[in-house]
Each structure stands twice: as structure tokens, then as C-alpha cells.
């Protein structure tokens, strides 16, 4: 079956670092995505990993281990505007079907 | 350039009625996806279209749901005999034909409320 797990909620302090984990069990794998979704808005693309390792993009980094079925999103120098849901998504092999996790709601406090 | 657009932005209907939701993808994007998101939940895959290939309908929850994409551009999601459990935000996304990531660009969604 298809299963993507991530924590439901996390809270962190402005200026700090937070790591959001995602584990997946899917029938196929052709890339893992992280999306950010503010309340009442559509998801927006943050990162894409298809090979093992760390991808860094400004304050955001994403890590993938295919053998462990594991990814994390790392947010540095947290800002209040980073309060949002973060969605982990896995694309199936051979096509474009993408399965999303339920999302992690991140609350950034002052 | 213009992003993905969806209409209507909000739709309130009575149980048992049919509804049509429209999606205009980004020009030139060959892949188009429909998702459903219930309050506080993640995205539930419904269907996707890729060029002229047969659509992947594996996520449609029942035969009351159908979708078509005319001319490889605009798509319509139809829900027949709506039920209260169909209430959700319906999101459409499109992605370009080239590029490794083929990132999905989402529209603003249609909020469907079935009374």
C-alpha cells in the first residue's frame, strides 16, 4: 500500500532551526517533494529530491535516504511567516501520480 | 505569466445536485492533476491527465466522480448526486512537459460545500 507519515504539528521559536521528518512506503519511487501551504492558500513548491543526499536552497534544505524511505525538511533562521503546513509528497514510478502526506502544521512563536 | 486558475472559487450546493468544477492550467503544461483536501487534511489524489495518454483515474472515490480534459488544456471535474462528504476544497495543478522535477503548480482551489 501507499503510506506517507509525518508529524501532525510542531512548534518552534523564531530564529531557531526545525527539522520536519517524513517516512514513506510506496509501491514505486520517482522523486520526493516538499510543499508549503499557508492556511487557506494553495500549496507552493519548496524542494525536490530524487537522489540520496542533501539539497540546500537558502534557509530551506531537504534530505533523502531512499534505502530508509526517509526524508526531512530543515528550516533555518525561522521567521514568523514560516508558520504553515508542510506537505511531503512522493511521485510514483513511471508516471506522474503523486501521493501526499497529511502535512505537518508548523507554529513559529516569538 | 498567468498561473493555474479555477472556477468557481466557492460553490454551495444541495445534496443530490450535480456540480462542475473548472480548471485552466498554465499554458503549455501537459500534465494536469485534480486533488481533494478536506479541512485540516492532506491532499487526496483524484485523477491526472498527461498529454494525449489515457488519464490515471485510480484516485476517484466513486463513479459519481468524473473528469475530462478537452483539447489538452481546460479540465472539468464533475460530481454527480453530491453528498455531504464531498464537501472539501478541490485543487487543480499542472506541470510542464520537460524538466526533471516537473513541479506541480497549484490553482487557488474551489471550496465545495454540500448542504
Amino acid at each position: 500500500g501507499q503510506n506517507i507519515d509525518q508529524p501532525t504539528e510542531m512548534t518552534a521559536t523564531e530564529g531557531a532551526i526545525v527539522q520536519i521528518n517524513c517516512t514513506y512506503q510506496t509501491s514505486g519511487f520517482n522523486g520526493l517533494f516538499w510543499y508549503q501551504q499557508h492556511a487557506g492558500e494553495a500549496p507552493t513548491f519548496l524542494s525536490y529530491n530524487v537522489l540520496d543526499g542533501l539539497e540546500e536552497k537558502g534557509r530551506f534544505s531537504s534530505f533523502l535516504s531512499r534505502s530508509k524511505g526517509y526524508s526531512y525538511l530543515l528550516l533555518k533562521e525561522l521567521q514568523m511567516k514560516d508558520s504553515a503546513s508542510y506537505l511531503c509528497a512522493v511521485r510514483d514510478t513511471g508516471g506522474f501520480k503523486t501521493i501526499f502526506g497529511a502535512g505537518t502544521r508548523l507554529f513559529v512563536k516569538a | 505569466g498567468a498561473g493555474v486558475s479555477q472556477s468557481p472559487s466557492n460553490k454551495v450546493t444541495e445534496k443530490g445536485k450535480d456540480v462542475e468544477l473548472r480548471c485552466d492550467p498554465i499554458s503549455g503544461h501537459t500534465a494536469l492533476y485534480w486533488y481533494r483536501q478536506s479541512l485540516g487534511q492532506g491532499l487526496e489524489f483524484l485523477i491526472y491527465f498527461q498529454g494525449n495518454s489515457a488519464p490515471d483515474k485510480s484516485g476517484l472515490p466513486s463513479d459519481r466522480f468524473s473528469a475530462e480534459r478537452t483539447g489538452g488544456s481546460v479540465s472539468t471535474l464533475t460530481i454527480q448526486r453530491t453528498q455531504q462528504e464531498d464537501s472539501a476544497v478541490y485543487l487543480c495543478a499542472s506541470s510542464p512537459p520537460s524538466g526533471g522535477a516537473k513541479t506541480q503548480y497549484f490553482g487557488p482551489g474551489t471550496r465545495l460545500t454540500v448542504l
Side-chain angles (χ1 to χ4, degrees), chain B residues 54-75:
Chain B
D56 180 341
K57 305 179 182 180
S58 59
L60 295 178
S62 78
D63 59 6
R64 297 187 295 105
F65 288 72
S66 63
E68 61 178 26
R69 188 178 184 191
T70 55
S73 181
V74 172
S75 177

Side-chain angles (χ1 to χ4, degrees), chain A residues 13 15 41 44 48 50 58 61 73 80 98:
Chain A
T13 305
E41 299 182 10
T44 55
Y48 170 72
V50 67
S61 303
L73 180 69
M80 300 298 287
T98 305

Side-chain angles (χ1 to χ4, degrees), chain A residues 11-16 78-83 106-110:
Chain A
T11 301
T13 305
E14 192 175 19
L78 280 173
Q79 302 175 10
M80 300 298 287
K81 67 179 182 179
D82 297 330
S83 293
L106 174 66
F107 298 93
V108 179
K109 59 183 182 179

Side-chain angles (χ1 to χ4, degrees), chain A residues 6-28:
Chain A
Q6 45 183 136
T8 304
E9 288 187 358
M10 298 182 71
T11 301
T13 305
E14 192 175 19
I17 299 173
V18 70
Q19 177 174 313
I20 303 174
N21 295 324
C22 170
T23 57
Y24 63 90
Q25 293 174 308
T26 55
S27 55

Side-chain angles (χ1 to χ4, degrees), chain B residues 99-110:
Chain B
K102 297 182 177 63
T103 303
Q104 294 180 39
Y105 297 83
F106 285 84
T110 294

